[in-house]
Amino acid sequence: MVEMRVAGIALDAASRSPIVLLRDPSGRRQVPIWIDQAQAQNILAGLSQEPPPRPLSHDLMVALLEAGGLQLERVIIHAIEESTFRAVLKLRPAETSAAAGEANQAPTVGESLELDARPSDAIALALRTHSSIWMLEEVVADASIPVDAEADAMEQDDFRRFLDNTTPADLVRHLGKGSDSDAGANG
């Protein structure tokens, strides 16, 4: 799994639909998820970190989780099915309210709960609770777009130069050194 962060909200040039952009830790891959205007507003409100004058839907959800003795541990975006991303909320009992959790039938210590969620809702909740957003590597690989094409091109050029300057005999010697050190480590 790859921990992702919200890079921002963008507009699709063709459809004018909002897109939430999730970026990997290296900053080299970005996953765009198309959302609607209301979802974009909820995510932007979470990014702003300024409390609204009245609680919005996701602020209410956070309050309900707290009242139920639950804490959002992380969000996991785990699949793409028919061009739709799938996510789950990973919840656990809140450490500070064990007594309240027992009274409200929340999971006991050590238990966790997973709830199916739209990725946009999951992201909006994660922003408000400062929870991590994770994505399966397969999903990142399938849905990501390169962010730093110039850096990628430079790495490819460096690799090509390396290959141009390396003979098969050099590779055999290098591989032989690696297996000698592996044998010493295992022996």
Side-chain angles (χ1 to χ4, degrees):
M1 278 201 295
V2 180
E3 186 170 9
M4 305 293 279
R5 65 178 176 77
V6 177
I9 300 285
L11 279 179
D12 182 310
S15 68
R16 306 297 293 162
S17 297
I19 304 168
V20 61
L21 300 168
L22 300 178
R23 189 170 288 171
D24 74 354
S26 71
R28 304 285 286 286
R29 297 181 295 175
Q30 198 162 261
V31 176
I33 300 176
W34 275 256
I35 57 178
D36 66 26
Q37 291 292 336
Q39 295 165 331
Q41 289 299 325
N42 282 318
I43 290 171
L44 286 170
L47 284 170
S48 77
Q49 298 296 319
E50 285 188 33
R54 303 270 334 241
L56 299 173
S57 299
H58 292 85
D59 301 311
L60 177 60
M61 288 181 215
V62 170
L64 288 169
L65 287 173
E66 290 171 359
L70 294 171
Q71 182 175 352
L72 180 60
E73 183 179 334
R74 73 179 81 162
V75 166
I76 302 171
I77 301 172
H78 60 87
I80 304 174
E81 297 171 357
E82 299 177 17
S83 301
T84 301
F85 288 86
R86 309 290 292 180
V88 293
L89 304 175
K90 188 101 165 153
L91 304 171
R92 63 181 159 89
E95 286 114 26
T96 58
S97 60
E102 290 172 21
N104 291 318
Q105 310 267 334
T108 59
V109 175
E111 285 184 36
S112 64
L113 178 66
E114 285 187 5
L115 296 177
D116 186 35
R118 295 185 308 179
S120 57
D121 290 329
I123 291 165
L125 281 172
L127 290 170
R128 285 167 172 76
T129 60
H130 307 287
S131 302
S132 57
I133 301 168
W134 292 84
M135 189 175 281
L136 288 184
E137 176 60 42
E138 298 83 27
V139 175
V140 175
D142 288 346
S144 67
I145 54 175
V147 175
D148 193 348
E150 187 175 312
D152 289 343
M154 285 175 42
E155 277 186 15
Q156 288 174 355
D157 289 343
D158 289 344
F159 186 63
R160 280 190 197 101
R161 277 192 295 279
F162 167 76
L163 289 178
D164 290 344
N165 297 325
T166 305
T167 65
D170 291 337
L171 286 175
V172 169
R173 275 194 298 276
H174 178 73
L175 291 174
K177 288 179 185 176
S179 63
D180 290 343
S181 65
D182 289 344
N186 293 331

